[in-house]
Amino acid sequence: MAKKKMQTLEQFDYQWPLKFFPFNPELTTQTKTKAAFLDAETEDRIAITGADFKYKGDMLKQGTIQSLTIYDGEDGALIKFTNTDINIGKLDKSDIMALVSSFIDQFEKSAMKLIGTNEPDSLQGGKGADILIGKGGADTLIGDKGKDTLTGGDGQDTFWFDKGAGKDRITDFDFDEGDRLRVSDYDDYLRLIKDGKDTIVEFSKNDSVTIAGMTPGELKKLDGWIIFDADIP
């Protein structure tokens, strides 16, 4: 049996979590596998693909959403969700914007891959074992709950960790490039544990961050690699 692909969100020119822009869409495409909604004035649109779509009037009412892309009339794709397999029956179908909002709520309940842009991004995971990829720019990555994997990419990145966030892993921590681990609700870590070529920064029995490719000795030589909110005036 083929392994199910992780649902993915890729942003092109927008920040996540999504803040909706003004939108007055009308249904322009309706087939069993494709639906499109267009704002005739701004040319902003929402394109949805999936299976077994059924409609009532100008609204999508049944089926499974496999991808959803939001386009800006001037700049093209803003944000794209793929590999979702979300049942429309579970969503708010009062209008398209309510459907998209409830679709995002469902999306956040499962493990997801978030992919940023080459500009500064703010990416935040949900409750699952998420993968966050910042790409270029000075990114902020917040794994939130679950066992998350964080990759900042190029640029000065900040990896946020809060009490109760679980066991996260940073794949490309680069102090010289400006990367920092920022921690809320803890005054200090308990210990640094050597794990092969990696270091586990342990805050409690259930909370830790693994920094790949760096030993405890290497981290201790770096002044300011970890920032505790309690230390900020």
Side-chain angles (χ1 to χ4, degrees):
M1 181 181 295
K3 184 178 180 180
K4 184 179 178 181
K5 293 182 179 179
M6 174 177 279
Q7 59 176 12
T8 299
L9 182 156
E10 185 170 6
Q11 61 185 53
F12 302 95
D13 189 25
Y14 218 68
Q15 294 301 307
W16 177 259
L18 185 65
K19 300 292 188 295
F20 283 125
F21 47 86
F23 201 69
N24 184 29
E26 294 182 0
L27 180 64
T28 57
T29 300
Q30 49 179 317
T31 72
K32 289 184 177 181
T33 59
K34 294 181 180 180
F37 297 82
L38 174 69
D39 186 318
E41 181 176 348
T42 65
E43 296 187 351
D44 298 338
R45 62 190 175 96
I46 298 171
I48 303 172
T49 66
D52 304 320
F53 287 171
K54 292 184 179 180
Y55 305 82
K56 185 175 181 180
D58 61 355
M59 190 56 204
L60 185 58
K61 290 294 184 178
Q62 294 183 36
T64 300
I65 296 176
Q66 295 168 347
S67 76
L68 186 151
T69 307
I70 298 175
Y71 295 88
D72 178 83
E74 296 180 354
D75 300 323
L78 296 177
I79 196 164
K80 182 176 184 178
F81 303 82
T82 56
N83 304 323
T84 55
D85 287 329
I86 291 177
N87 186 343
I88 293 172
K90 297 180 179 180
L91 306 181
D92 183 344
K93 297 174 287 298
S94 54
D95 58 51
I96 182 57
M97 300 313 289
L99 185 142
V100 172
S101 181
S102 57
F103 166 87
I104 292 171
D105 288 341
Q106 288 292 321
F107 178 88
E108 291 181 321
K109 290 180 180 179
S110 300
M112 54 186 168
K113 180 189 289 185
L114 306 183
I115 303 173
T117 68
N118 287 319
E119 301 296 327
D121 297 310
S122 178
L123 302 178
Q124 180 171 347
K127 296 180 181 180
D130 305 315
I131 298 173
L132 277 60
I133 303 172
K135 296 178 73 173
D139 304 314
T140 299
L141 289 83
I142 308 169
D144 209 342
K145 309 296 183 185
K147 190 175 182 180
D148 306 308
T149 302
L150 315 178
T151 301
D154 294 335
Q156 180 179 316
D157 303 311
T158 301
F159 302 92
W160 277 81
F161 188 85
D162 296 328
K163 188 174 184 178
K167 300 180 184 296
D168 290 350
R169 178 180 179 85
I170 300 172
T171 68
D172 65 340
F173 189 84
D174 189 335
F175 180 83
D176 291 336
E177 201 169 60
D179 292 354
R180 297 296 183 267
L181 173 59
R182 186 160 180 173
V183 180
S184 299
D185 300 321
Y186 283 109
D187 296 331
D188 204 348
Y189 55 78
L190 293 178
R191 56 180 177 159
L192 301 179
I193 304 169
K194 188 175 186 299
D195 183 25
K197 296 181 179 180
D198 306 335
T199 296
I200 301 173
V201 186
E202 187 178 79
F203 301 100
S204 70
K205 179 180 178 180
N206 297 316
D207 282 347
S208 67
V209 175
T210 296
I211 298 181
M214 298 196 73
T215 65
E218 290 172 329
L219 285 174
K220 288 178 180 179
K221 293 177 182 178
L222 304 176
D223 184 21
W225 65 274
I226 186 168
I227 301 170
F228 294 92
D229 282 359
D231 294 336
I232 300 175

